[in-house]
Amino acid sequence: MVWFYRFFIRLLLKSGYWPTMDKFNQYVAAMIKLEKVSKVYHLGDETIHALRGMDLEVTDGEFVAIIGPSGSGKSTLLHIIGGLDTPTSGRVVVDDQDLSQAGDGELSRYRNRSVGFVFQTFELHPTYNALENVALPLVFSRVPRSKRLQMAGEALETVGLAERANHRPSQLSGGERQRVSIARALVVQPKIILADEPTGNLDSKTGDRIIELLSQLNREKGLTLLVVTHNSEIAEQATRALYLRDGLVVGERRHPD
Amino acid sequence: MRLTDLIGMVFLNLWRRKLRTALTVLAVVIGATLIALMVSLGSGIESFIVDQFGLLVAEDSIAVSSGGDIFGQQGGHPVEIDSTEARIIEPFAKEDLDQIRSIEGVEQVDFIINIDALYISPQSSEKIYTVFVDTGPDYSLKIRQLVAGGYFDEGATGECLIAYGYLDTFGWTDAESALGRQVTITMGKQVPFDPQTRDYTLTVVGVLERTLSEAEVLVPMADAKEMARFHNDTPQLYTEEQPGFFLQVKAADVSLVDRVAEDIEALGFEAITSQEILNQIENVFGIIQIGLSAFGIIALVVASIGIINTLIMAIYERTREIGVMKAMGATRGTIRLLFAVEGGALGLLGGIIGGVVALVFGQLLNVIGSRTFLSDFPGFQLSVFSPWLILGVIALTTAISLLAGLYPANRAARLDPVSALRHE
Ligand SMILES: Nc1ncnc2c1ncn2[C@@H]1O[C@H](COP(=O)(O)OP(=O)(O)O)[C@@H](O)[C@H]1O
Ligand SMILES: [Mg+2]
């Protein structure tokens, strides 16, 4: 039944009739749910607590900005939500799937179908052109080449880079590269986009446009969006901002709408 | 991941590092070429010897000796033996002949006549030449191919077949012109201080096709016996009373050869079939081929270390890429497959190139050989390639390098995606 509520609520939110539905929505249909999640790294004799029992709920269609000083656990949080890393303790449930219980096969499938990563340094394949880069995730879900390239073309169109399809990353500007990497995250039609400092390597004007693109995807496609950033202006655009320090959420601010 | 995508990705990755790929493949090529070439030379020479043997020896004949090893004892270290082992080998007796003849499946028993001729000289010439005189029953002579003339009859005397090599030596223009000419074979005595000799003049009735033995003259049994008796001063030699030490037995059918040989051995004689000799030749060549290939195998082992090294380098270079692929949904299995197949592809390329290089080298040797030292044996291939040899070498190099790729592939698969993405 959860899917029905979710669909219904999304409809209400989109219609703009019921902006205060937010709280109810969060209660019923948490897209991402973290319970007492800790992550401990061991570096020689040193023990590093990247996350210290974090609780978090994110609703379907939210735009969450994650802000905090370097080393506060922002990346670790995204990696755990994205199924790239597993918590030392605690429970992670995303889209009704318990990630803390999943094996490599399930996690890979989850990363392939349910989330899209956007990295600070773009991480594009230097020998592939933009189109082939965008199509890469579909290789791992065994989508045939022609279908793959067609879907990649559509994703490139969404980010406004259709005419750059045959360019290699080295022939693209930083902003364009980040658009390609956003298209790559979009191509599998995920429910969640996880962006780790997506504007960190861009000048502020280009960075603003990238944030504008992401926020547009959130608004128009209803994608759940988590963005790690140092930029407080970005936080302004988000529906919610989380402040992290030493592996804990130390503050939260909701957009007044 | 689809197979076509896998292959495409593997070859793209190899192409990205052309020089390194080429050098790694080169090591495999060296190993593959050595193995393929050595095996092909081995089988070429083996099949030549087997062919030659087949031209000289009838496959339904069995060589029988009255005792002891037909090839005798030679060389080695001195070893203590007891008196029973030191027995003097006696020649066959009349009863032995009868016993052998009465074995079921024995069609014919002949003496193996040993003729030590001194020399040969052609008609109206003072020059003398070396010669190997041989004889045999009709059935074993008739497997010899002739280029001119015909065989003599079993009971004939004063006729002979000469090797092709004598034509040139004697200054006879062609094989046809040799027919009807006469040659003289001179016999000496076995006892070294007896200077007596006797000449036997024979008419050439046929010319033998080229074989490895180019100084050969075949004479009828009757002449051969005369020559041997004079040489040994034994007028009764090669009669029922004195059959000598060696016999040639003909089985009624090729399928009976093995059983007849066993029955002969059961009588206390030594028997060896032509198949047994062929098997021994094959064994020897099998060992020679393995021995020669050993260098290639060593080269392949070294090459697989190179493959491991190349793949580990590739993992370091592509660590972030591996992290990204995992973030995009590649499983550990997919990453493992990518690197293992990359290793296998290096071996496959090396095997294919090595096979082709060996083939070209082999053909080159064949051409050079047929124009120089092998010009007397048209059709003989020094290096013989079967499709199986090429496929086998390719399969071997691919398997070895796939195996070599497993360790790096597992390392790549186990990489933690988060650390991989943090990797500089
Ligand atoms: N693989 C690792 N090994 C050891 N320590 C790590 C590892 N990954 C992260 N850390 C530590 O965990 C803490 C949180 O890291 P991270 O989540 O990357 O912070 P942020 O992204 O907020 O800068 C930091 O102190 C970092 O040094
Ligand atoms: Mg970080």
Side-chain angles (χ1 to χ4, degrees):
Chain A
M1 285 308 278
V2 177
W3 67 269
F4 173 75
Y5 284 116
R6 209 173 268 167
F7 177 76
F8 179 67
I9 286 157
R10 196 185 268 188
L11 211 72
L12 283 175
L13 279 175
K14 269 194 176 169
S15 67
Y17 281 126
W18 207 350
T20 50
M21 195 58 211
D22 231 38
K23 273 219 167 66
F24 175 66
N25 182 14
Q26 197 180 327
Y27 178 75
V28 184
M31 179 60 126
I32 300 166
K33 193 169 161 115
L34 272 68
E35 288 172 8
K36 296 195 179 58
V37 168
S38 314
K39 181 71 193 182
V40 182
Y41 288 110
H42 296 282
L43 231 144
D45 294 339
E46 212 180 338
T47 307
I48 300 158
H49 295 268
L51 296 177
R52 304 171 187 262
M54 186 179 284
D55 290 311
L56 178 67
E57 284 195 18
V58 177
T59 315
D60 189 7
E62 262 194 289
F63 175 0
V64 181
I66 299 166
I67 303 156
S70 177
S72 58
K74 308 181 295 292
S75 296
T76 305
L77 177 62
L78 278 202
H79 291 150
I80 285 178
I81 293 172
L84 265 184
D85 210 347
T86 46
T88 311
S89 66
R91 224 162 81 92
V92 185
V93 180
V94 182
D95 198 18
D96 302 328
Q97 200 177 345
D98 191 343
L99 300 187
S100 25
Q101 302 291 320
D104 178 63
E106 281 171 275
L107 281 180
S108 302
R109 199 183 152 80
Y110 164 78
R111 292 193 294 261
N112 188 240
R113 310 272 160 102
S114 305
V115 289
F117 283 97
V118 177
F119 303 99
Q120 179 177 354
T121 43
F122 325 130
E123 307 298 347
L124 299 176
H125 199 290
T127 47
Y128 289 163
N129 64 26
L131 196 68
E132 290 163 336
N133 261 293
V134 173
L136 185 66
L138 301 173
V139 168
F140 302 120
S141 44
R142 302 179 53 85
V143 177
R145 185 175 162 85
S146 56
K147 173 92 170 122
R148 207 157 71 202
L149 295 181
Q150 181 215 325
M151 289 168 78
E154 286 164 15
L156 273 179
E157 211 158 300
T158 310
V159 300
L161 270 186
E163 77 284 3
R164 290 278 194 274
N166 293 319
H167 288 57
R168 299 239 181 128
S170 58
Q171 299 165 318
L172 297 171
S173 72
E176 287 171 329
R177 287 183 211 180
Q178 196 58 299
R179 279 171 193 272
V180 173
S181 99
I182 291 170
R184 181 178 62 183
L186 285 176
V187 78
V188 296
Q189 295 169 332
K191 293 183 174 158
I192 304 167
I193 297 257
L194 303 170
D196 196 347
E197 304 193 35
T199 61
N201 271 21
L202 303 174
D203 62 77
S204 62
K205 230 177 102 187
T206 317
D208 287 348
R209 285 211 213 101
I210 291 296
I211 292 300
E212 181 44 46
L213 172 65
L214 286 172
S215 131
Q216 183 193 338
L217 292 170
N218 165 253
R219 269 182 280 119
E220 291 175 4
K221 292 190 184 269
L223 284 169
T224 305
L225 180 62
L226 273 71
V227 181
V228 169
T229 182
H230 291 299
N231 190 334
S232 50
E233 279 175 46
I234 295 173
E236 292 293 311
Q237 296 196 40
T239 50
R240 182 149 62 122
L242 293 177
Y243 296 88
L244 260 65
R245 189 181 290 268
D246 292 334
L248 280 173
V249 179
V250 293
E252 189 171 341
R253 185 191 51 74
R254 275 173 191 279
H255 203 274
D257 268 308
Chain B
M1 205 171 181
R2 284 165 176 271
L3 187 64
T4 48
D5 292 331
L6 176 70
I7 291 167
M9 228 181 236
V10 162
F11 280 95
L12 178 74
N13 282 328
L14 291 177
W15 185 245
R16 278 159 83 185
R17 288 271 178 268
K18 292 178 213 40
L19 182 61
R20 193 172 64 192
T21 300
L23 291 174
T24 313
V25 168
L26 180 64
V28 182
V29 169
I30 291 170
T33 305
L34 277 175
I35 293 177
L37 202 59
M38 289 308 164
V39 172
S40 88
L41 288 179
S43 50
I45 294 166
E46 178 183 340
S47 74
F48 175 65
I49 287 182
V50 169
D51 285 354
Q52 286 289 317
F53 184 79
L55 289 178
L56 300 176
V57 179
E59 59 178 342
D60 53 359
S61 71
I62 304 164
V64 182
S65 86
S66 54
D69 193 333
I70 282 173
F71 298 123
Q73 289 166 340
Q74 311 120 335
H77 270 282
V79 177
E80 190 186 337
I81 53 174
D82 65 42
S83 54
T84 59
E85 287 176 89
R87 74 200 160 101
I88 293 163
I89 297 168
E90 289 181 27
F92 284 108
K94 190 174 187 314
E95 304 77 60
D96 299 334
L97 276 183
D98 294 337
Q99 268 187 311
I100 293 173
R101 282 198 184 108
S102 65
I103 291 172
E104 202 187 319
V106 170
E107 188 180 298
Q108 189 176 332
V109 178
D110 296 284
F111 311 121
I112 293 182
I113 300 172
N114 184 30
I115 308 153
D116 286 314
L118 283 178
Y119 49 79
I120 189 171
S121 59
Q123 191 176 6
S124 57
S125 167
E126 295 300 304
K127 291 182 178 167
I128 58 173
Y129 302 91
T130 53
V131 67
F132 168 63
V133 181
D134 201 6
T135 186
D138 237 21
Y139 75 92
S140 65
L141 287 185
K142 282 197 171 148
I143 63 167
R144 304 295 302 270
Q145 302 291 308
L146 300 180
V147 293
Y151 304 95
F152 39 73
D153 297 327
E154 187 136 37
T157 55
E159 297 180 341
C160 72
L161 304 172
I162 59 166
Y164 194 88
Y166 279 116
L167 295 181
D168 253 6
T169 315
F170 291 165
W172 295 346
T173 48
D174 58 37
E176 291 297 335
S177 72
L179 303 177
R181 295 197 193 229
Q182 291 187 326
V183 293
T184 304
I185 291 169
T186 303
M187 297 296 300
K189 289 287 188 181
Q190 187 185 23
V191 189
F193 41 80
D194 186 343
Q196 248 192 102
T197 63
R198 187 178 289 174
D199 290 346
Y200 296 83
T201 299
L202 307 162
T203 306
V204 176
V205 297
V207 178
L208 297 165
E209 197 165 271
R210 288 178 196 280
T211 62
L212 274 180
S213 88
E214 280 289 71
E216 192 179 10
V217 170
L218 296 181
V219 301
M221 289 280 249
D223 291 323
K225 283 178 189 169
E226 284 304 316
M227 292 175 181
R229 286 169 186 159
F230 173 77
H231 178 72
N232 291 299
D233 263 333
T234 314
Q236 290 302 301
L237 188 60
Y238 302 126
T239 59
E240 292 292 303
E241 277 65 40
Q242 287 192 30
F245 293 89
F246 302 105
L247 298 174
Q248 178 174 326
V249 173
K250 180 184 190 300
D253 188 81
V254 179
S255 63
L256 298 172
V257 165
D258 287 341
R259 211 219 62 237
V260 169
E262 271 172 40
D263 289 353
I264 292 172
E265 281 180 342
L267 294 175
F269 307 122
E270 292 288 325
I272 185 158
T273 65
S274 43
Q275 192 54 50
E276 279 169 346
I277 296 174
L278 282 179
N279 289 347
Q280 281 183 12
I281 293 174
E282 266 166 37
N283 285 345
V284 168
F285 273 92
I287 291 165
I288 290 174
Q289 283 177 340
I290 291 172
L292 291 175
S293 308
F295 294 101
I297 303 271
I298 291 169
L300 275 191
V301 169
V302 175
S304 57
I305 295 172
I307 288 173
I308 295 175
N309 187 38
T310 296
L311 290 181
I312 287 177
M313 294 264 293
I315 292 171
Y316 275 111
E317 280 174 5
R318 306 212 293 262
T319 299
R320 284 177 79 93
E321 219 174 287
I322 294 167
V324 172
M325 287 200 285
K326 287 195 169 178
M328 304 288 125
T331 60
R332 273 184 214 144
T334 301
I335 303 290
R336 184 181 297 119
L337 202 63
L338 264 172
F339 279 89
V341 172
E342 196 166 322
L346 288 167
L348 180 72
L349 286 176
I352 292 173
I353 298 172
V356 171
V357 170
L359 195 70
V360 170
F361 253 104
Q363 293 312 101
L364 213 66
L365 279 177
N366 283 345
V367 170
I368 292 171
S370 70
R371 293 204 179 148
T372 57
F373 55 98
L374 292 169
S375 55
D376 286 346
F377 300 97
F380 165 51
Q381 304 275 292
L382 195 57
S383 139
V384 172
F385 275 91
S386 70
W388 289 115
L389 173 57
I390 304 268
L391 287 180
V393 166
I394 292 172
L396 180 74
T397 56
T398 309
I400 288 181
S401 51
L402 204 64
L403 226 61
L406 282 185
Y407 166 69
N410 268 322
R411 268 178 70 141
R414 280 203 315 268
L415 273 182
D416 169 40
V418 173
S419 340
L421 281 166
R422 285 182 203 264
H423 184 88
E424 285 311 312

